[in-house]
Amino acid sequence: MCGIVGYIGKQKASPILLAGLSKLEYRGYDSAGIATIEKNEIKVVKDKGFVENLYNLDETKELEGSIGIAHTRWATHGIPSRINSHPHMDNSKHFSVVHNGIIENYIELKEFLEKNGYNFISETDTEVIPNLIDYYYKNDKKDDDYKVLRAVNSACNKLIGSFALEVLSTYIPNNMIVVRKDSPLVIGKGTHENYIASDIPAILSYTKDFYLLDNFEYVVLSRDDLKFYDKNLNEISKESTTITWDAMAADKAGYSDYMLKEIMEQPTAIRETIGSRLDKPKCDFSELNFTKEYLSTLKQIYIVACGTAMHTGLAVKNTLEDLCKIHVQVDIASEFRYRNPLIDDKTLCIFISQSGETADTLAALKISKEHGAKTIAITNVMGSSISREADYALYTHAGPEIAVASTKAYTSQTTLFILLIIYFAEVLERYDISKLEELKKDLLDIPRKVELVLKDTNNLKPIVESLFKENDVFYLGRGIDYATSQEASLKLKEISYIHSESYAAGELKHGTIALIEKGINVIGIMTDENLVKKTLSNIEEVITRGAVTTIVVTESISKKIDLSIFTHKIILPDIMTNLSPILTIIPLQLIAYYVSKEKGLDVDKPRNLAKSVTVE
Ligand code: AGP
């Protein structure tokens, strides 16, 4: 996710801006930039790479301005490069803007502006914003102190998507204007100075008094004053909030643990991972140049990863085979690398890794390349070893995942992989249009459904209470629900230290059911309408043997079965089966989290585990 910092006061802005960006590095980025105003001129210093690179540049040291904006960019539109970095300027260089979010209608806006004489130098969506502001400024005949504010408001009213904006203008050299919609932005109140940031940690060392902006609230900042306006530019008053967090707590944005913060960030992470890929009629993977001929010759696709990342492969395997009619094998990297897999140039190998540094996955990738396979990496960290080694790198935009137990990376990886499958199906022209359109529509609606599930956690408490003293828990499912049950089981194990086992529901009776006895906890997952009857009978088998059961079902399935036979139930919004792992895992992540907290364990740093296993 991008990061934004701003400063207006008596001090030199650049050191404060860079320090703020450094505090936002945890959000992940590939480029950084700052802009300040001095002597009515906007000066911009920006480049691909890390914040520390900016510190050492002479141009940075020469920045004397005491008003400035700053940005760390996580590329969504356009590759990481100096030109695509923020801040962006309009053609006349009267406006400079930094932006966090995604402008979904930037293509139309770009065409409109080009028709009105504007030209563009970057590949970004953001560059339309300063030029749109300039367009409205130049077409506003009323010359008064609010002209820039009106231009910003007019431009924002044309934007579709999410945005947190900071705007500098040579027309108001002693002010800055900010506004947000869906992307976060906070204002820190100082004495004869004011601060702006994407989140509180970036500026908490300067002030404890914050204004938390709501959507479409505009702020005109001066050194000694903050003026707030609503979307119709009526002046409004806002109460400030005093933050009592310490610095460490602030990095968790007020959550008690990184894991809970990252579970709650999933709607944003999924939304940003989808980005603009579904804006055009066909799913956009401009990073890839696959042809119908190449994909049609593939004999096999391997999905290779470890742990949760491997569970993503299990979650998407059936969808990939179903839509693309290519054999798919999901492999644990540490197994794949030593079993001399059958690989040649008719094999495509896809490697999934949150960190992009997992040793087994990296080794498997190198072996695949040696045997002539094309390789794709799906990772959350730009510039990671796996992303650099693979022929193609695709990025989730989950933002850095700090907690050892992976949550938002899993749902983002699964989302990105489904998008990739849609792309493959469209390139192959091997798809049922209605099914693909339904898949795209449901995918775009997932963040909303995840938000609903994250809000509805009251029913989890009794489940947590029935689990946290247990020594053994079983997770059952069939098909895609079996894949989800494997991720759910790992979550519980790795942060609560309770032994749990994921089992294919239909396989239980072939031996393992001998372990089922009175009082043992079994969590059943049923989201596939075609398998309900079979899975239900397997769960009834454990109920008759005295198991305490929790059932996870969709709304429509819940209406077709007798829920009273289960001890606990979790009912999810309806969702296409192909996408169900992204939603089903949410309550199961939370259950694992709350069980670990109930046991007083270190949920972010479980014993024996590392966030990235960079050794064999
Ligand atoms: C998942 O919660 C674990 N942290 C672990 O299984 C992890 O998914 C695995 O080590 C792979 O890591 P990677 O995605 O960074 O390659």
Side-chain angles (χ1 to χ4, degrees):
M1 288 179 272
C2 304
I4 282 182
V5 177
Y7 172 75
I8 179 166
K10 303 280 187 235
Q11 302 177 65
K12 200 168 154 186
S14 56
I16 295 170
L17 297 171
L18 293 173
L21 290 184
S22 300
K23 293 289 286 178
L24 292 176
E25 287 187 304
Y26 76 88
R27 297 164 71 89
Y29 68 106
D30 50 69
S31 324
I34 63 177
T36 62
I37 275 199
E38 42 200 283
K39 302 188 187 74
N40 279 23
E41 186 193 351
I42 295 173
K43 290 188 176 175
V44 178
V45 179
K46 63 181 189 176
D47 207 346
K48 175 183 172 185
F50 298 122
V51 175
E52 63 193 83
N53 302 346
L54 296 181
Y55 274 108
N56 308 324
L57 294 176
D58 290 341
E59 308 115 282
T60 305
K61 293 170 186 156
E62 288 155 13
L63 293 179
E64 292 302 327
S66 60
I67 299 181
I69 59 179
H71 186 266
T72 48
R73 179 177 184 245
W74 183 298
T76 53
H77 299 75
I79 57 168
S81 69
R82 199 189 73 72
I83 294 289
N84 288 334
S85 311
H86 301 209
H88 285 285
M89 305 268 289
D90 67 299
N91 290 176
S92 64
K93 303 211 181 304
H94 285 299
F95 298 96
S96 180
V97 168
V98 292
H99 164 226
N100 178 17
I102 289 169
I103 305 305
E104 294 162 12
N105 62 330
Y106 81 98
I107 292 168
E108 300 91 274
L109 293 172
K110 203 166 181 173
E111 287 163 0
F112 166 77
L113 289 162
E114 283 167 338
K115 285 194 189 104
N116 284 278
Y118 289 86
N119 54 61
F120 292 85
I121 55 174
S122 81
E123 304 160 284
T124 66
D125 54 340
T126 300
E127 198 183 358
V128 300
I129 300 172
N131 286 301
L132 202 54
I133 295 171
D134 181 67
Y135 170 80
Y136 284 111
Y137 185 86
K138 291 200 166 81
N139 285 280
D140 182 342
K141 300 307 169 213
K142 196 174 170 195
D143 245 341
D144 60 16
D145 295 346
Y146 299 93
K147 190 169 180 181
V148 174
L149 178 61
R150 283 198 301 275
V152 174
N153 176 249
S154 302
C156 288
N157 288 341
K158 292 291 181 195
L159 302 181
I160 298 171
S162 55
F163 50 87
L165 299 180
E166 286 176 341
V167 181
L168 286 184
S169 171
T170 57
Y171 298 120
I172 46 171
N174 292 305
N175 295 103
M176 186 191 302
I177 293 178
V178 302
V179 60
R180 61 151 301 201
K181 179 199 172 257
D182 291 342
S183 292
L185 202 61
V186 295
I187 309 275
K189 180 88 185 77
T191 308
H192 307 308
E193 53 194 0
N194 290 302
Y195 306 84
I196 301 122
S198 302
D199 60 24
I200 288 166
I203 50 178
L204 186 61
S205 55
Y206 302 110
T207 177
K208 296 271 187 191
D209 291 330
F210 283 81
Y211 292 91
L212 310 181
L213 290 189
D214 295 321
N215 276 351
F216 286 112
E217 286 186 338
Y218 294 78
V219 191
V220 177
L221 297 93
S222 65
R223 290 176 177 81
D224 295 305
D225 196 15
L226 298 170
K227 286 196 180 311
F228 298 94
Y229 301 86
D230 66 15
K231 72 180 300 181
N232 301 315
L233 299 189
N234 302 309
E235 192 163 351
I236 56 176
S237 61
K238 272 187 84 68
E239 293 299 311
S240 68
T241 305
T242 302
I243 297 297
T244 55
W245 303 334
D246 61 35
M248 184 65 177
D251 283 345
K252 298 171 194 157
Y255 286 102
S256 51
D257 307 284
Y258 280 111
M259 185 174 177
L260 186 57
K261 169 174 176 280
E262 290 155 10
I263 287 172
M264 295 299 172
E265 284 177 335
Q266 290 182 105
T268 301
I270 293 165
R271 200 174 277 124
E272 299 214 348
T273 295
I274 295 171
S276 63
R277 293 191 184 279
L278 294 178
D279 286 5
K280 300 171 189 158
K282 293 219 168 168
C283 190
D284 176 18
F285 274 89
S286 50
E287 310 93 313
L288 304 176
N289 54 6
F290 287 8
T291 62
K292 182 175 178 180
E293 293 64 38
Y294 166 71
L295 288 177
S296 307
T297 59
L298 284 180
K299 284 187 313 205
Q300 172 85 45
I301 294 178
Y302 281 106
I303 303 173
V304 184
C306 302
T308 288
M310 186 273 288
H311 294 155
T312 291
L314 299 175
V316 300
K317 168 188 156 63
N318 293 355
T319 301
L320 180 50
E321 287 191 331
D322 178 37
L323 266 68
C324 299
K325 307 293 182 248
I326 300 172
H327 288 289
V328 177
Q329 184 162 339
V330 181
D331 242 324
I332 295 170
S334 54
E335 292 295 306
F336 179 89
R337 66 183 292 193
Y338 293 114
R339 65 174 184 78
N340 199 16
L342 298 178
I343 296 173
D344 58 24
D345 61 352
K346 301 278 187 296
T347 313
L348 171 63
C349 293
I350 303 174
F351 300 86
I352 308 171
S353 175
Q354 189 285 133
S355 63
E357 299 301 342
T358 299
D360 283 322
T361 308
L362 182 57
L365 166 54
K366 289 177 178 171
I367 290 167
S368 303
K369 288 181 71 176
E370 286 159 13
H371 287 72
K374 263 197 202 319
T375 56
I376 297 177
I378 289 181
T379 179
N380 196 37
V381 179
M382 293 210 169
S384 58
S385 306
I386 288 169
S387 69
R388 289 198 308 273
E389 182 65 30
D391 297 311
Y392 303 93
L394 304 177
Y395 293 102
T396 49
H397 291 177
E401 194 176 62
I402 312 292
V404 167
S406 186
T407 51
K408 63 178 182 175
Y410 172 77
T411 48
S412 301
Q413 287 160 358
T414 307
T415 299
L416 183 56
F417 211 121
I418 293 289
L419 287 163
L420 180 64
I421 292 168
I422 293 170
Y423 166 75
F424 281 167
E426 289 178 335
V427 170
L428 280 163
E429 295 174 338
R430 228 183 251 167
Y431 57 90
D432 161 0
I433 286 197
S434 60
K435 163 115 183 180
L436 223 51
E437 289 314 309
E438 190 194 355
L439 199 53
K440 291 179 183 180
K441 185 170 146 294
D442 223 13
L443 197 55
L444 286 167
D445 195 28
I446 279 194
R448 181 186 66 83
K449 291 178 179 175
V450 171
E451 279 163 353
L452 288 175
V453 175
L454 286 172
K455 282 193 186 113
D456 176 23
T457 58
N458 296 332
N459 61 336
L460 303 184
K461 193 167 171 22
I463 301 169
V464 170
E465 280 161 6
S466 77
L467 288 178
F468 86 98
K469 292 199 181 79
E470 288 300 307
N471 297 313
D472 290 294
V473 178
F474 282 84
Y475 289 80
L476 301 184
R478 279 175 182 258
I480 206 162
D481 292 328
Y482 174 38
T484 305
S485 76
Q486 295 187 63
E487 174 56 14
S489 171
L490 175 61
K491 277 301 108 11
L492 185 71
K493 272 185 280 198
E494 65 177 329
I495 60 173
S496 74
Y497 315 151
I498 293 172
H499 174 257
S500 77
E501 196 165 347
S502 155
Y503 230 85
E507 181 64 8
L508 198 65
K509 56 185 167 303
H510 297 282
T512 303
I513 199 164
L515 296 179
I516 304 298
E517 57 192 15
K518 184 167 173 42
I520 198 155
N521 266 272
V522 176
I523 297 178
I525 304 174
M526 291 195 307
T527 66
D528 183 343
E529 302 255 357
N530 303 320
L531 296 171
V532 167
K533 278 208 180 95
K534 301 291 180 193
T535 308
L536 190 53
S537 67
N538 299 139
I539 297 174
E540 283 167 341
E541 286 160 13
V542 300
I543 292 174
T544 51
R545 288 164 174 80
V548 174
T549 54
T550 296
I551 192 70
V552 185
V553 288
T554 55
E555 180 86 33
S556 51
I557 291 174
S558 73
K559 294 189 174 99
K560 294 172 185 166
I561 61 174
D562 176 6
L563 290 173
S564 67
I565 64 171
F566 306 106
T567 319
H568 308 289
K569 52 188 173 290
I570 297 172
I571 299 174
L572 299 170
D574 283 340
I575 187 165
M576 278 183 83
T577 304
N578 303 84
L579 304 177
S580 69
I582 305 170
L583 195 62
T584 312
I585 199 61
I586 302 297
L588 299 170
Q589 290 170 342
L590 285 167
I591 286 170
Y593 170 80
Y594 287 121
V595 167
S596 177
K597 293 297 283 182
E598 193 67 26
K599 294 185 71 173
L601 300 172
D602 182 348
V603 73
D604 282 340
K605 299 189 194 67
R607 67 186 181 198
N608 311 337
L609 296 181
K611 181 57 185 168
S612 175
V613 184
T614 54
V615 292
E616 274 203 55

